[in-house]
Amino acid sequence: MLWINLVDKTGSGLWLSITALYFVVVAGLDTASTGLLLGLGGVAGIAGAPVAGRLADRLPLTRVLLAVQVVRAASGLLLLFAHGFWQLLPLVALGSLGERSASVLTKLFAARVAGQDRARYQAVQRTVVNLGYTLGGLAASAALAAGTTTVYRLLLLGDSLSFVLVALLVARCAEPPSATRTVAVGAPVTTAGTAARAGTVTSAGTAAPAATAPPPRPAGPWRDTGYLGYAALDSVMFLYGCSLTVGLPLWIVTRTTAPHGLAAAVFVINTVLVVLLQVRLARYGNSPRVAANSLRQVAVWFVLSCAATAVAVLHTRWAATVAVVAAAIAFTVVEMIQSAVSWELSVSLAPAHLQGSYVGVHGLAQSTSRCVGPLLLTSVVIAAGPAGWLGLGAVLAGAALLQRRMVLRRLDRPGAGVAEAPLSVVPITFSEQ
């Protein structure tokens, strides 16, 4: 799956670097129409996470992921022949839907394969993802030196073909173990719930007693108010992503005396630090309780990152530059810690038999933040000046501390059913035949 991520994100790096430019230069849209196109497409992508998660609980995960990659490839290839806003919109929406679906499915695959070592696996995966984006971005930058429409089309074609290659790689992957799918010897595959009700037969041929009925669990994530509250607070904290990619670059250009080139350097700083440090910082998500307590560090880094951004309005050029670099580093550190924490808690707080549905609902948090974040940062935070950034830091830190309290309360609740155990061992049901 790491190779799949590398290929996927390298292709995505080709496209993300030129997305807006493609619609203006090749498709002939104006900037306002391009913004509307990408915004509406992003809204469609919100549905991808919960739908994909629910399907992963009912169908083989690898087959769902294969279908999603085929959809992404098809939407990209069809974009090459689409013209006008209304032809482009459904294809952009389809691509966004596929991108968010693939993100959730890849996360589920990693959680099921890695088990209790999922925090380290996620860190390695994020490192690979950043390498892929870097390779794709560098290739796109070199190609854009030509500046022709043919180059733009070739980059989009490269992105689409990367999904074809990913689909072929996924087709070769074995299905990871799941709490809702068991392997049967001499009998059709049954669900864990069916085996528990009917009882099992040991390898010696003797009947084992039926499993004791588990304590009542939520019928689904939409009825689990505790998990919904956790996900809602995560959607607030995910604003750090837009702060780094949208807010800080715009702040550099419009409100500070720092060199405008730092707006591009922010991404370099972010990528290099993630590649160097993400695996080391995975320890902040080693277990549900460790992850919950790490939210205190997340709160501190939120305050530091936003405060450094606010200070960047200093008139002295070197001081503004130092503040901008400090803000970029702080936002990257909080990204690495919070991503490890969010990964662990989103999986471990979910009942094992509904893990896909729960993680899918959690995926809404990041999707919603992506849609709301740019508008919030430009119209509220940046418009309010330094006070806006200080206020944002206080809100993000408050969300982190409140989430810590909610999660610890859930972990301390009797019969919480937190998924501490690895999912790498498949339960085996022997038939009576």
Side-chain angles (χ1 to χ4, degrees):
M1 189 55 68
L2 294 177
W3 280 107
I4 289 173
N5 266 305
L6 181 62
V7 174
D8 185 331
K9 302 311 178 186
T10 300
S12 296
L14 296 175
W15 174 239
L16 290 175
S17 303
I18 58 126
T19 302
L21 294 175
Y22 180 91
F23 293 125
V24 173
V25 175
V26 179
L29 301 181
D30 56 34
T31 53
S33 298
T34 298
L36 181 61
L37 176 71
L38 295 175
L40 292 177
V43 171
I46 292 177
V51 171
R54 187 169 180 82
L55 288 175
D57 279 338
R58 297 171 176 267
L59 301 171
L61 190 152
T62 51
R63 296 298 170 256
V64 179
L65 183 56
L66 174 62
V68 166
Q69 298 296 354
V70 170
V71 167
R72 296 175 76 190
S75 66
L77 292 172
L78 290 173
L79 275 176
L80 291 168
F81 306 100
H83 300 283
F85 183 89
W86 296 109
Q87 287 186 21
L88 293 167
L89 180 58
L91 297 175
V92 172
L94 194 63
S96 178
L97 188 75
E99 189 271 334
R100 297 309 306 156
S101 298
S103 176
V104 167
L105 294 171
T106 303
K107 180 177 181 178
L108 282 171
F109 188 99
R112 292 177 180 180
V113 170
Q116 286 184 315
D117 201 31
R118 53 182 172 258
R120 182 173 178 81
Y121 187 100
Q122 183 263 0
V124 174
Q125 181 170 274
R126 291 197 77 244
T127 301
V128 170
V129 164
N130 277 270
L131 283 173
Y133 279 133
T134 301
L135 293 174
L138 289 174
S141 298
L144 284 176
T148 64
T149 57
T150 300
V151 169
Y152 285 101
R153 292 183 182 276
L154 287 175
L155 290 173
L156 174 55
L157 178 62
D159 179 40
S160 304
L161 293 180
S162 73
F163 299 138
V164 174
L165 179 55
V166 167
L168 294 175
L169 293 173
V170 170
R172 296 173 59 87
C173 288
E175 178 68 15
S178 167
T180 57
R181 300 180 63 81
T182 62
V183 177
V185 179
V189 174
T190 63
T191 64
T194 302
R197 288 192 301 270
T200 59
V201 178
T202 66
S203 56
T206 60
T212 304
R217 292 175 291 189
W222 296 109
R223 298 184 181 181
D224 189 339
T225 55
Y227 193 89
L228 290 177
Y230 155 76
L233 290 171
D234 244 16
S235 69
V236 176
M237 289 191 286
F238 275 132
L239 288 174
Y240 73 76
C242 293
S243 299
L244 184 63
T245 59
V246 177
L248 185 56
L250 288 176
W251 187 253
I252 292 169
V253 173
T254 61
R255 298 296 184 94
T256 77
T257 58
H260 288 186
L262 279 179
V266 164
F267 299 101
V268 177
I269 293 171
N270 176 262
T271 301
V272 170
L273 287 178
V274 169
V275 170
L276 293 177
L277 299 176
Q278 182 67 78
V279 174
R280 294 184 182 181
L281 295 181
R283 66 181 185 274
Y284 287 100
N286 277 344
S287 71
R289 197 166 294 277
V290 169
N293 286 319
S294 297
L295 287 166
R296 288 179 296 190
Q297 284 87 346
V298 170
V300 171
W301 282 104
F302 275 142
V303 172
L304 291 176
S305 56
C306 290
T309 306
V311 171
V313 295
L314 292 171
H315 293 295
T316 308
R317 189 180 179 87
W318 70 265
T321 300
V322 170
V324 165
V325 172
I329 293 173
F331 272 122
T332 302
V333 171
V334 78
E335 173 191 343
M336 291 185 287
I337 298 176
Q338 202 273 337
S339 64
V341 170
S342 179
W343 166 279
E344 173 62 26
L345 294 179
S346 65
V347 173
S348 62
L349 296 181
H353 70 298
L354 290 174
Q355 196 173 66
S357 298
Y358 270 70
V359 172
V361 167
H362 178 264
L364 286 171
Q366 194 164 15
S367 298
T368 303
S369 185
R370 284 184 177 183
C371 291
V372 177
L375 178 62
L376 179 65
L377 284 163
T378 54
S379 62
V380 179
V381 176
I382 293 179
W389 284 104
L390 294 176
L392 177 65
V395 170
L396 296 179
L401 295 176
L402 179 58
Q403 188 184 75
R404 175 180 177 271
R405 182 178 178 183
M406 289 177 60
V407 171
L408 288 176
R409 184 180 300 170
R410 186 180 179 102
L411 294 177
D412 292 336
R413 189 177 63 200
V418 175
E420 294 272 13
L423 297 173
S424 56
V425 180
V426 184
I428 299 179
T429 302
F430 291 89
S431 73
E432 296 182 4
Q433 298 174 353

